[in-house]
Amino acid sequence: MSRGQEPIYSEYETDSSQSSKLIRKFKETPFVPIGMAGFVAVVGYGLYKLKHRGNLKLSLHLIHMRVAAQGFVVGAITCG
């Protein structure tokens, strides 16, 4: 690098705290946190419904919960 040029990643080097990096990433890709929040919501709802699943086997319930959570994340990223 020559002396007259600024570093290409100067703004990335100045943000040294983890929270500022995380906030910047969320601003760049807003649908990723939406997908993560949806994933947590689906898993939370699935765990709540785990007690009231009736005759449904545990493995089948977990498969349905996983598919719903992955579907929400993929849908959020696709929309973004």
Side-chain angles (χ1 to χ4, degrees):
M1 189 168 18
S2 67
R3 293 182 181 184
Q5 294 179 343
E6 291 183 24
I8 295 173
Y9 300 108
S10 62
E11 74 179 58
Y12 293 106
E13 292 172 357
T14 58
D15 290 339
S16 60
S17 69
Q18 291 293 333
S19 61
S20 63
K21 288 180 183 179
L22 189 64
I23 291 170
R24 181 177 38 99
K25 281 298 215 182
F26 283 169
K27 287 179 182 177
E28 290 174 0
T29 55
F31 283 98
V32 171
I34 293 171
M36 290 168 52
F39 176 80
V40 169
V42 168
V43 169
Y45 179 73
L47 290 174
Y48 173 75
K49 293 296 281 184
L50 186 64
K51 292 174 77 173
H52 308 289
R53 68 180 187 270
N55 292 335
L56 192 63
K57 289 184 178 181
L58 177 63
S59 61
L60 190 59
H61 176 75
L62 292 176
I63 289 171
H64 288 166
M65 189 172 63
R66 180 186 60 88
V67 169
Q70 284 179 336
F72 193 92
V73 170
V74 170
I77 292 173
T78 302
C79 289

